[in-house]
Amino acid sequence: HTAQNGGDTKQPASDLDFVDVGEPGEANVSVMVKPGSMDTELRTHVRRELGDYDVEVKTEVWALNFLDVLLATGVVNLGESVTVGGEFVGTVTRVGEKVTSPCPGDRVAGITLGGWGLYTTTPVHCVAVVPAALEAGPASTISLAYCTAWLALKWLGRVEEDEKVMVHAAAGGVGMAAVQLALAWRCQVFGTCSSQPKRDTLTALGVPESNIFN
């Protein structure tokens, strides 16, 4: 299938890997999910002009976050500008006039409001260059969990070295990020979880068995 400028087209989601979007500035293909229905369709549309501090990325991998599930099932509605697909890894294709880093060709991980697509555009402060040794799958899952954990612990909680930190649901995505950040800051970490495999995960991360509660 070839995406044409303008208009919308519906195709089976299984065809996504075979869509040719042409040169930068022509067309993008996005996966649209109707909230509350889980129905998906592919749409083609013109890739937008970049702002001075924007970067455009040709995506390689999209992460599936629990927020995506809540949005798709209609449990959470954050408005039309926020749709499923918030974390990605890909290669920078274009940058705004005032962007000095990253550069076209750099492989980045990041956060976007644009949703699943072959291309996405996001502010430059929402991406970071991916280390060469880090695979795309794991790299795509880092951004939201670790930003949320850092925001909660450091920016809101003002956690300092050697303090005690209690993390509820510590074996979840944000929970494990919080545990690892707190341990990196040499805090004494306590956590809650609901099963033995999750307890094993936390002990493997470095939380003492005596600090884990149901």
Side-chain angles (χ1 to χ4, degrees), residues 138-161:
S140 70
T141 67
I142 289 174
S143 303
L144 281 177
Y146 278 84
C147 285
T148 301
W150 187 93
L151 178 69
L153 294 177
K154 207 67 174 178
W155 195 77
L156 294 175
R158 297 293 192 264
V159 170
E160 300 291 343
E161 185 174 323

Side-chain angles (χ1 to χ4, degrees), residues 87-99:
E87 297 176 283
F88 63 88
V89 166
T91 302
V92 175
T93 51
R94 296 185 295 155
V95 299
E97 290 186 2
K98 296 185 179 180
V99 174

Side-chain angles (χ1 to χ4, degrees), residues 72 180 212:
Q180 292 176 83
I212 303 173

Side-chain angles (χ1 to χ4, degrees), residues 45-210:
H45 50 89
V46 176
R47 286 150 64 185
R48 67 183 178 86
E49 294 296 322
L50 300 184
D52 287 344
Y53 295 98
D54 286 342
V55 295
E56 180 190 68
V57 177
K58 184 173 184 179
T59 60
E60 178 182 348
V61 172
W62 286 90
L64 181 65
N65 191 280
F66 187 55
L67 176 60
D68 297 318
V69 178
L70 297 179
L71 289 168
T73 55
V75 175
V76 171
N77 185 346
L78 300 178
E80 294 184 359
S81 62
V82 182
T83 184
V84 293
E87 297 176 283
F88 63 88
V89 166
T91 302
V92 175
T93 51
R94 296 185 295 155
V95 299
E97 290 186 2
K98 296 185 179 180
V99 174
T100 57
S101 179
C103 301
D106 286 344
R107 191 159 170 261
V108 297
I111 300 171
T112 183
L113 298 180
W116 291 329
L118 293 183
Y119 291 83
T120 191
T121 299
T122 195
V124 65
H125 65 263
C126 291
V127 300
V129 174
V130 176
L134 186 59
E135 295 182 359
S140 70
T141 67
I142 289 174
S143 303
L144 281 177
Y146 278 84
C147 285
T148 301
W150 187 93
L151 178 69
L153 294 177
K154 207 67 174 178
W155 195 77
L156 294 175
R158 297 293 192 264
V159 170
E160 300 291 343
E161 185 174 323
D162 295 328
E163 290 187 332
K164 294 181 175 66
V165 175
M166 178 69 171
V167 181
H168 290 288
V174 174
M176 288 191 290
V179 166
Q180 292 176 83
L181 288 176
L183 289 173
W185 298 328
R186 300 182 180 179
C187 295
Q188 184 178 359
V189 178
F190 300 82
T192 64
C193 63
S194 60
S195 67
Q196 186 59 48
K198 293 180 179 180
R199 295 177 73 93
D200 294 341
T201 296
L202 295 179
T203 55
L205 290 178
V207 180
E209 178 72 28
S210 60

